[in-house]
Amino acid sequence: MTSTRPHLFTSESVTEGHPDKIADQISDGILDAIMAGDPSGRVACEALVTTGSAIIAGEITTRTWVDMRKIVRETIRQIGYTEPSLGFDYRTCGVLICVDEQSPDIAMGVTETSAHEQGAGDQGIMFGYACRETPELMPMPIMLAHRLTARLAECRKRKVVPWLWPDGKSQVTIEYGGDYTPKRVEAVVIAAHHKENVEREELRQGILKHVIQKVIPKELLDDRTKIYINETGRFVIGGPFADTGLTGRKIIVDTYGGVGSHGGGCFSGKDPSKVDRSGSYMARYIAKNLVAAELAERVEVQIGYAIGVARPVSVLVETYGTSTIEEERLERIVKEVFDMRPKAIIDHLNLLRPIYKKTASYGHFGREDPDFTWERTDMVDALKDKAHA
């Protein structure tokens, strides 16, 4: 394994009530409704939320009908914006729908016919990453950050901490040793949206006891770990009342917390003909199976596509010097074992299903859910057979 100097690395997460994540969940809620009625639908759905308003825009071509306004309001209700005092609530917010059909020029390239194989929905570069830092084969900072924000939401919904509101953020800094192994937690940052009538010390102690100490393993904490909780002293005004939310603005939260590379395209609101989504899921699937097969300790996979073309224009496997066989050979094995054409990805990962809304908060990767098919490690034997042939 390639040595590196000891260093700190930080990742952040946000709760499902963060404005950008509200927008992501609305977009994926609409996608799910269309997938349920018309799996061949083409969806590129964007949402914007701000004080008292939600705006839906994009390009959608489908044979089914969905009540978008109802989906918007129900999503906002489920997240927890149920009181007018929050400045944004599901009953009173205005909902504006501005949706057109997919461009026929794009449709020509992504619709499979007898004479034309389904091509990529756009040009672009997609990345997947896996490593041995956690049982989920994910970087530790982002996994702990997600668990903190998910725990904030759980404490709010179960009224373990009754004064929490839906918005919130977390941040975790891990100290790594020279062998790129996590050693300890250097810092934990929490910003928790809260009701007016809570004292700061009560807030700090409640989050420390019910959130941080429930999530961060004791062996990673020591007397040098820094804990920062609502350091401005107040977070009463939050959600879309305080900050406009947009679909696709939390792409690093959605992926690996800043570890590795990112192609730039977001996932939410896009059906799987868009390789921004399906190609990224496939890249994670490949990387995770390579690490699970013990062919490398850390892996980043890049896949490049051209719009309307089925086969990738490039595939790169980077192991940072941790591969147990030659990287060039590993790359050849990946190309032999995995079919990276869009239709093949959709079929292999079973992506034409209404599974997307739950991906829109707490990360698309490292999740223990059978619907997250890109998290399976069912190609390990095939990879090992090729590697040891």
Side-chain angles (χ1 to χ4, degrees):
M1 186 172 189
T2 303
S3 294
T4 185
R5 65 181 178 85
H7 64 281
L8 303 177
F9 194 89
T10 303
S11 294
E12 72 159 348
S13 179
V14 297
T15 66
E16 63 208 59
H18 184 281
D20 293 330
K21 279 291 146 201
I22 299 171
D24 284 344
Q25 289 167 89
I26 289 171
S27 293
D28 273 338
I30 291 170
L31 171 62
D32 276 357
I34 292 170
M35 286 283 105
D38 177 15
S40 64
R42 295 285 186 256
V43 182
C45 180
E46 316 291 343
L48 178 150
V49 293
T50 188
T51 305
S53 298
I55 300 171
I56 310 304
E59 297 77 44
I60 297 175
T61 301
T62 180
R63 296 188 300 267
T64 193
W65 180 86
V66 297
D67 188 339
M68 293 187 191
R69 287 180 174 81
K70 183 178 180 180
I71 293 168
V72 170
R73 295 189 190 281
E74 181 59 16
T75 300
I76 294 167
R77 185 196 68 78
Q78 290 173 351
I79 291 168
Y81 286 93
T82 58
E83 299 186 24
S85 61
L86 288 166
F88 182 81
D89 75 281
Y90 79 102
R91 292 186 188 90
T92 64
C93 73
V95 180
L96 178 63
I97 309 294
C98 307
V99 173
D100 291 316
E101 290 188 333
Q102 183 183 61
S103 161
D105 294 347
I106 296 174
M108 283 193 300
V110 299
T111 300
E112 188 174 36
T113 67
S114 59
H116 179 81
E117 186 176 16
Q118 180 175 335
D122 201 353
Q123 71 177 51
I125 51 175
M126 290 80 219
F127 291 91
Y129 183 87
C131 63
R132 292 207 166 276
E133 293 176 29
T134 66
E136 299 84 3
L137 305 185
M138 285 284 287
M140 184 177 286
I142 189 64
M143 290 304 296
L144 291 179
H146 282 325
R147 287 173 188 156
L148 288 169
T149 49
R151 178 63 182 169
L152 276 173
E154 180 185 12
C155 287
R156 170 175 59 87
K157 292 175 179 179
R158 293 174 50 199
K159 301 191 184 303
V160 174
V161 184
W163 32 259
L164 284 173
W165 284 134
D167 200 353
K169 290 185 176 184
S170 71
Q171 192 170 281
V172 175
T173 302
I174 296 291
E175 179 184 317
Y176 286 86
D179 59 355
Y180 219 87
T181 301
K183 299 297 184 184
R184 54 182 289 276
V185 171
E186 168 71 14
V188 177
V189 181
I190 297 285
H193 188 198
H194 62 87
K195 297 179 181 179
E196 179 89 40
N197 59 348
V198 58
E199 296 295 329
R200 186 177 182 192
E201 189 56 29
E202 179 188 358
L203 182 147
R204 177 180 169 79
Q205 291 304 318
I207 291 175
L208 184 62
K209 176 181 178 181
H210 296 292
V211 178
I212 295 173
Q213 292 176 354
K214 294 290 186 181
V215 168
I216 306 295
K218 290 181 180 179
E219 62 271 19
L220 293 177
L221 298 170
D222 58 32
D223 56 5
R224 293 185 293 133
T225 301
K226 304 172 185 68
I227 306 291
Y228 302 102
I229 301 171
N230 284 35
E231 286 299 309
T232 66
R234 179 180 170 88
F235 188 1
V236 173
I237 300 172
F241 187 42
D243 185 20
T244 298
L246 292 169
T247 299
R249 209 161 57 173
K250 286 290 177 284
I251 56 176
I252 301 304
V253 171
D254 284 343
T255 53
Y256 308 101
V259 176
S261 307
H262 198 291
C266 77
F267 306 152
S268 289
K270 296 177 181 177
D271 75 83
S273 73
K274 280 75 172 172
V275 285
D276 276 338
R277 182 165 223 155
S278 55
S280 296
Y281 288 177
M282 190 63 170
R284 162 64 177 171
Y285 179 60
I286 295 169
K288 186 173 183 180
N289 274 272
L290 288 171
V291 173
E294 299 181 346
L295 297 177
E297 294 289 314
R298 291 191 289 139
V299 174
E300 181 176 85
V301 174
Q302 185 203 53
I303 311 173
Y305 289 97
I307 188 168
V309 179
R311 296 190 181 278
V313 298
S314 68
V315 178
L316 173 67
V317 178
E318 171 62 66
T319 68
Y320 309 95
T322 71
S323 176
T324 59
I325 63 175
E326 298 85 356
E327 280 193 343
E328 293 83 356
R329 185 174 168 221
L330 193 63
E331 212 165 79
R332 289 196 299 271
I333 290 170
V334 164
K335 293 175 183 177
E336 291 171 9
V337 171
F338 297 96
D339 191 337
M340 289 168 269
R341 293 173 297 170
K343 180 65 162 58
I345 294 172
I346 290 167
D347 290 345
H348 186 79
L349 298 181
N350 194 15
L351 297 180
L352 295 179
R353 296 176 295 141
I355 59 172
Y356 296 105
K357 186 176 179 181
K358 59 185 172 182
T359 70
S361 48
Y362 312 118
H364 292 246
F365 307 123
R367 303 278 291 275
E368 296 179 358
D369 184 311
D371 285 334
F372 288 58
T373 52
W374 49 94
E375 291 297 310
R376 298 181 311 205
T377 52
D378 55 347
M379 301 300 286
V380 166
D381 289 343
L383 287 167
K384 286 183 175 180
D385 289 345
K386 289 281 188 180
H388 300 141

